[in-house]
mmCIF file of all heavy atoms in Angstrom:
data_model
loop_
_atom_site.group_PDB
_atom_site.id
_atom_site.type_symbol
_atom_site.label_atom_id
_atom_site.label_comp_id
_atom_site.label_asym_id
_atom_site.label_seq_id
_atom_site.Cartn_x
_atom_site.Cartn_y
_atom_site.Cartn_z
ATOM 1 N N LEU W 1131 33.504 34.503 -21.091
ATOM 2 C CA LEU W 1131 32.395 33.826 -20.406
ATOM 3 C C LEU W 1131 31.757 34.726 -19.357
ATOM 4 O O LEU W 1131 30.527 34.826 -19.266
ATOM 5 C CB LEU W 1131 32.894 32.548 -19.725
ATOM 6 C CG LEU W 1131 33.006 31.307 -20.572
ATOM 7 C CD1 LEU W 1131 33.610 30.178 -19.761
ATOM 8 C CD2 LEU W 1131 31.670 30.902 -21.128
ATOM 9 N N LEU W 1132 32.585 35.361 -18.571
ATOM 10 C CA LEU W 1132 32.078 36.246 -17.526
ATOM 11 C C LEU W 1132 31.347 37.446 -18.124
ATOM 12 O O LEU W 1132 30.348 37.918 -17.579
ATOM 13 C CB LEU W 1132 33.237 36.711 -16.640
ATOM 14 C CG LEU W 1132 32.900 37.477 -15.385
ATOM 15 C CD1 LEU W 1132 32.033 36.624 -14.464
ATOM 16 C CD2 LEU W 1132 34.164 37.893 -14.677
ATOM 17 N N GLY W 1133 31.839 37.907 -19.262
ATOM 18 C CA GLY W 1133 31.224 39.055 -19.914
ATOM 19 C C GLY W 1133 29.817 38.796 -20.427
ATOM 20 O O GLY W 1133 29.054 39.733 -20.651
ATOM 21 N N LEU W 1134 29.465 37.532 -20.637
ATOM 22 C CA LEU W 1134 28.090 37.234 -21.057
ATOM 23 C C LEU W 1134 27.093 37.543 -19.950
ATOM 24 O O LEU W 1134 25.913 37.765 -20.215
ATOM 25 C CB LEU W 1134 27.961 35.767 -21.476
ATOM 26 C CG LEU W 1134 28.631 35.402 -22.796
ATOM 27 C CD1 LEU W 1134 28.573 33.903 -23.008
ATOM 28 C CD2 LEU W 1134 27.980 36.146 -23.948
ATOM 29 N N LEU W 1135 27.576 37.556 -18.709
ATOM 30 C CA LEU W 1135 26.685 37.782 -17.571
ATOM 31 C C LEU W 1135 26.742 39.217 -17.050
ATOM 32 O O LEU W 1135 25.707 39.804 -16.747
ATOM 33 C CB LEU W 1135 27.033 36.813 -16.441
ATOM 34 C CG LEU W 1135 26.933 35.332 -16.797
ATOM 35 C CD1 LEU W 1135 27.451 34.491 -15.649
ATOM 36 C CD2 LEU W 1135 25.504 34.975 -17.146
ATOM 37 N N VAL W 1136 27.945 39.747 -16.897
ATOM 38 C CA VAL W 1136 28.094 41.084 -16.307
ATOM 39 C C VAL W 1136 29.167 41.871 -17.058
ATOM 40 O O VAL W 1136 30.093 41.301 -17.607
ATOM 41 C CB VAL W 1136 28.490 41.011 -14.808
ATOM 42 C CG1 VAL W 1136 27.382 40.421 -13.969
ATOM 43 C CG2 VAL W 1136 29.766 40.247 -14.617
ATOM 44 N N LEU W 1137 29.032 43.159 -17.052
ATOM 45 C CA LEU W 1137 30.044 44.088 -17.572
ATOM 46 C C LEU W 1137 30.525 43.756 -18.978
ATOM 47 O O LEU W 1137 31.712 43.865 -19.288
ATOM 48 C CB LEU W 1137 31.240 44.155 -16.621
ATOM 49 C CG LEU W 1137 30.981 44.678 -15.216
ATOM 50 C CD1 LEU W 1137 32.219 44.507 -14.360
ATOM 51 C CD2 LEU W 1137 30.545 46.125 -15.243
ATOM 52 N N ASN W 1138 29.595 43.355 -19.836
ATOM 53 C CA ASN W 1138 30.009 42.968 -21.180
ATOM 54 C C ASN W 1138 30.556 44.135 -21.996
ATOM 55 O O ASN W 1138 31.320 43.926 -22.922
ATOM 56 C CB ASN W 1138 28.905 42.243 -21.932
ATOM 57 C CG ASN W 1138 27.595 42.970 -21.894
ATOM 58 O OD1 ASN W 1138 27.504 44.054 -21.349
ATOM 59 N ND2 ASN W 1138 26.580 42.365 -22.460
ATOM 60 N N VAL W 1139 30.222 45.359 -21.634
ATOM 61 C CA VAL W 1139 30.752 46.513 -22.351
ATOM 62 C C VAL W 1139 32.257 46.657 -22.114
ATOM 63 O O VAL W 1139 32.982 47.155 -22.971
ATOM 64 C CB VAL W 1139 29.985 47.813 -21.981
ATOM 65 C CG1 VAL W 1139 30.281 48.252 -20.565
ATOM 66 C CG2 VAL W 1139 30.283 48.922 -22.968
ATOM 67 N N PHE W 1140 32.752 46.167 -20.973
ATOM 68 C CA PHE W 1140 34.180 46.219 -20.677
ATOM 69 C C PHE W 1140 34.878 44.891 -20.971
ATOM 70 O O PHE W 1140 35.965 44.869 -21.554
ATOM 71 C CB PHE W 1140 34.417 46.575 -19.197
ATOM 72 C CG PHE W 1140 33.894 47.920 -18.821
ATOM 73 C CD1 PHE W 1140 32.801 48.039 -17.984
ATOM 74 C CD2 PHE W 1140 34.486 49.073 -19.306
ATOM 75 C CE1 PHE W 1140 32.305 49.268 -17.643
ATOM 76 C CE2 PHE W 1140 34.003 50.316 -18.960
ATOM 77 C CZ PHE W 1140 32.906 50.427 -18.124
ATOM 78 N N LEU W 1141 34.272 43.806 -20.538
ATOM 79 C CA LEU W 1141 34.929 42.510 -20.644
ATOM 80 C C LEU W 1141 34.974 41.977 -22.076
ATOM 81 O O LEU W 1141 35.902 41.249 -22.432
ATOM 82 C CB LEU W 1141 34.251 41.500 -19.722
ATOM 83 C CG LEU W 1141 34.328 41.830 -18.229
ATOM 84 C CD1 LEU W 1141 33.627 40.758 -17.416
ATOM 85 C CD2 LEU W 1141 35.757 41.993 -17.790
ATOM 86 N N GLY W 1142 33.994 42.330 -22.889
ATOM 87 C CA GLY W 1142 33.987 41.884 -24.284
ATOM 88 C C GLY W 1142 35.195 42.382 -25.063
ATOM 89 O O GLY W 1142 35.937 41.587 -25.658
ATOM 90 N N PRO W 1143 35.434 43.706 -25.083
ATOM 91 C CA PRO W 1143 36.619 44.197 -25.799
ATOM 92 C C PRO W 1143 37.942 43.698 -25.210
ATOM 93 O O PRO W 1143 38.893 43.455 -25.955
ATOM 94 C CB PRO W 1143 36.506 45.716 -25.669
ATOM 95 C CG PRO W 1143 35.062 45.972 -25.473
ATOM 96 C CD PRO W 1143 34.551 44.808 -24.696
ATOM 97 N N ILE W 1144 37.997 43.536 -23.890
ATOM 98 C CA ILE W 1144 39.228 43.021 -23.285
ATOM 99 C C ILE W 1144 39.466 41.585 -23.731
ATOM 100 O O ILE W 1144 40.601 41.201 -24.059
ATOM 101 C CB ILE W 1144 39.165 43.125 -21.748
ATOM 102 C CG1 ILE W 1144 39.182 44.588 -21.317
ATOM 103 C CG2 ILE W 1144 40.317 42.372 -21.106
ATOM 104 C CD1 ILE W 1144 38.926 44.791 -19.843
ATOM 105 N N ALA W 1145 38.420 40.773 -23.776
ATOM 106 C CA ALA W 1145 38.548 39.384 -24.233
ATOM 107 C C ALA W 1145 38.989 39.340 -25.696
ATOM 108 O O ALA W 1145 39.840 38.518 -26.065
ATOM 109 C CB ALA W 1145 37.223 38.643 -24.046
ATOM 110 N N ILE W 1146 38.459 40.223 -26.514
ATOM 111 C CA ILE W 1146 38.845 40.274 -27.929
ATOM 112 C C ILE W 1146 40.314 40.653 -28.065
ATOM 113 O O ILE W 1146 41.064 40.044 -28.834
ATOM 114 C CB ILE W 1146 37.932 41.256 -28.700
ATOM 115 C CG1 ILE W 1146 36.515 40.703 -28.761
ATOM 116 C CG2 ILE W 1146 38.478 41.526 -30.096
ATOM 117 C CD1 ILE W 1146 35.488 41.700 -29.273
ATOM 118 N N ALA W 1147 40.738 41.656 -27.306
ATOM 119 C CA ALA W 1147 42.130 42.111 -27.387
ATOM 120 C C ALA W 1147 43.101 41.032 -26.900
ATOM 121 O O ALA W 1147 44.123 40.771 -27.546
ATOM 122 C CB ALA W 1147 42.302 43.391 -26.573
ATOM 123 N N LEU W 1148 42.790 40.389 -25.780
ATOM 124 C CA LEU W 1148 43.670 39.342 -25.258
ATOM 125 C C LEU W 1148 43.761 38.157 -26.219
ATOM 126 O O LEU W 1148 44.843 37.596 -26.424
ATOM 127 C CB LEU W 1148 43.188 38.875 -23.890
ATOM 128 C CG LEU W 1148 43.465 39.799 -22.712
ATOM 129 C CD1 LEU W 1148 42.797 39.264 -21.450
ATOM 130 C CD2 LEU W 1148 44.948 39.963 -22.492
ATOM 131 N N ALA W 1149 42.631 37.768 -26.788
ATOM 132 C CA ALA W 1149 42.645 36.645 -27.729
ATOM 133 C C ALA W 1149 43.451 36.997 -28.979
ATOM 134 O O ALA W 1149 44.216 36.173 -29.487
ATOM 135 C CB ALA W 1149 41.217 36.268 -28.102
ATOM 136 N N SER W 1150 43.296 38.217 -29.456
ATOM 137 C CA SER W 1150 44.045 38.635 -30.648
ATOM 138 C C SER W 1150 45.542 38.636 -30.394
ATOM 139 O O SER W 1150 46.327 38.156 -31.222
ATOM 140 C CB SER W 1150 43.596 40.027 -31.088
ATOM 141 O OG SER W 1150 42.222 40.024 -31.389
ATOM 142 N N VAL W 1151 45.958 39.158 -29.252
ATOM 143 C CA VAL W 1151 47.387 39.187 -28.924
ATOM 144 C C VAL W 1151 47.917 37.769 -28.718
ATOM 145 O O VAL W 1151 49.029 37.448 -29.157
ATOM 146 C CB VAL W 1151 47.638 40.069 -27.673
ATOM 147 C CG1 VAL W 1151 49.064 39.939 -27.187
ATOM 148 C CG2 VAL W 1151 47.310 41.518 -27.982
ATOM 149 N N ALA W 1152 47.143 36.910 -28.081
ATOM 150 C CA ALA W 1152 47.569 35.525 -27.874
ATOM 151 C C ALA W 1152 47.755 34.812 -29.214
ATOM 152 O O ALA W 1152 48.733 34.078 -29.399
ATOM 153 C CB ALA W 1152 46.565 34.785 -27.002
ATOM 154 N N LEU W 1153 46.838 35.013 -30.137
ATOM 155 C CA LEU W 1153 46.976 34.395 -31.458
ATOM 156 C C LEU W 1153 48.155 34.982 -32.220
ATOM 157 O O LEU W 1153 48.876 34.265 -32.921
ATOM 158 C CB LEU W 1153 45.679 34.568 -32.252
ATOM 159 C CG LEU W 1153 44.502 33.730 -31.755
ATOM 160 C CD1 LEU W 1153 43.220 34.164 -32.442
ATOM 161 C CD2 LEU W 1153 44.769 32.258 -31.986
ATOM 162 N N TRP W 1154 48.375 36.263 -32.079
ATOM 163 C CA TRP W 1154 49.471 36.922 -32.770
ATOM 164 C C TRP W 1154 50.823 36.430 -32.244
ATOM 165 O O TRP W 1154 51.767 36.270 -33.001
ATOM 166 C CB TRP W 1154 49.339 38.435 -32.604
ATOM 167 C CG TRP W 1154 50.410 39.209 -33.289
ATOM 168 C CD1 TRP W 1154 50.609 39.341 -34.632
ATOM 169 C CD2 TRP W 1154 51.445 39.954 -32.655
ATOM 170 N NE1 TRP W 1154 51.701 40.128 -34.874
ATOM 171 C CE2 TRP W 1154 52.236 40.526 -33.668
ATOM 172 C CE3 TRP W 1154 51.780 40.204 -31.332
ATOM 173 C CZ2 TRP W 1154 53.327 41.309 -33.394
ATOM 174 C CZ3 TRP W 1154 52.873 40.998 -31.077
ATOM 175 C CH2 TRP W 1154 53.631 41.545 -32.099
ATOM 176 N N ARG W 1155 50.907 36.146 -30.944
ATOM 177 C CA ARG W 1155 52.150 35.660 -30.338
ATOM 178 C C ARG W 1155 52.351 34.159 -30.526
ATOM 179 O O ARG W 1155 53.370 33.624 -30.128
ATOM 180 C CB ARG W 1155 52.177 35.970 -28.842
ATOM 181 C CG ARG W 1155 52.386 37.410 -28.543
ATOM 182 C CD ARG W 1155 52.595 37.606 -27.079
ATOM 183 N NE ARG W 1155 52.835 39.002 -26.752
ATOM 184 C CZ ARG W 1155 53.139 39.425 -25.548
ATOM 185 N NH1 ARG W 1155 53.250 38.574 -24.551
ATOM 186 N NH2 ARG W 1155 53.341 40.695 -25.329
ATOM 187 N N GLY W 1156 51.395 33.481 -31.114
ATOM 188 C CA GLY W 1156 51.546 32.064 -31.398
ATOM 189 C C GLY W 1156 51.304 31.163 -30.206
ATOM 190 O O GLY W 1156 52.139 30.337 -29.885
ATOM 191 N N THR W 1157 50.165 31.316 -29.580
ATOM 192 C CA THR W 1157 49.845 30.500 -28.415
ATOM 193 C C THR W 1157 49.671 29.036 -28.798
ATOM 194 O O THR W 1157 49.281 28.718 -29.927
ATOM 195 C CB THR W 1157 48.569 31.019 -27.730
ATOM 196 O OG1 THR W 1157 48.297 30.224 -26.589
ATOM 197 C CG2 THR W 1157 47.367 30.965 -28.649
ATOM 198 N N ALA W 1158 49.972 28.169 -27.842
ATOM 199 C CA ALA W 1158 49.739 26.745 -28.046
ATOM 200 C C ALA W 1158 48.269 26.406 -27.835
ATOM 201 O O ALA W 1158 47.800 25.350 -28.244
ATOM 202 C CB ALA W 1158 50.603 25.930 -27.084
ATOM 203 N N ARG W 1159 47.537 27.305 -27.211
ATOM 204 C CA ARG W 1159 46.103 27.096 -26.926
ATOM 205 C C ARG W 1159 45.256 27.916 -27.909
ATOM 206 O O ARG W 1159 44.491 28.790 -27.521
ATOM 207 C CB ARG W 1159 45.802 27.493 -25.493
ATOM 208 C CG ARG W 1159 46.574 26.670 -24.513
ATOM 209 C CD ARG W 1159 46.278 27.062 -23.109
ATOM 210 N NE ARG W 1159 47.068 26.248 -22.200
ATOM 211 C CZ ARG W 1159 46.775 26.038 -20.954
ATOM 212 N NH1 ARG W 1159 45.714 26.601 -20.427
ATOM 213 N NH2 ARG W 1159 47.534 25.299 -20.202
ATOM 214 N N ARG W 1160 45.408 27.592 -29.171
ATOM 215 C CA ARG W 1160 44.701 28.356 -30.206
ATOM 216 C C ARG W 1160 43.184 28.214 -30.076
ATOM 217 O O ARG W 1160 42.448 29.168 -30.284
ATOM 218 C CB ARG W 1160 45.148 27.889 -31.588
ATOM 219 C CG ARG W 1160 46.585 28.255 -31.887
ATOM 220 C CD ARG W 1160 47.003 27.829 -33.278
ATOM 221 N NE ARG W 1160 46.185 28.362 -34.336
ATOM 222 C CZ ARG W 1160 46.315 29.580 -34.864
ATOM 223 N NH1 ARG W 1160 47.245 30.366 -34.410
ATOM 224 N NH2 ARG W 1160 45.526 29.985 -35.829
#
């Protein structure tokens, strides 16, 4: 959400990586 406004070149890939790892680890908040 924050990346849509500022620093999307950094925050976008970080959001993608965190979401991928969370899904891979089996989060309850899919």
Side-chain angles (χ1 to χ4, degrees):
L1131 277 176
L1132 188 60
L1134 288 173
L1135 301 174
V1136 293
L1137 297 173
N1138 50 3
V1139 70
F1140 298 111
L1141 297 180
I1144 292 172
I1146 292 169
L1148 284 174
S1150 300
V1151 171
L1153 289 170
W1154 181 68
R1155 288 188 179 185
T1157 181
R1159 299 180 181 202
R1160 292 182 57 82

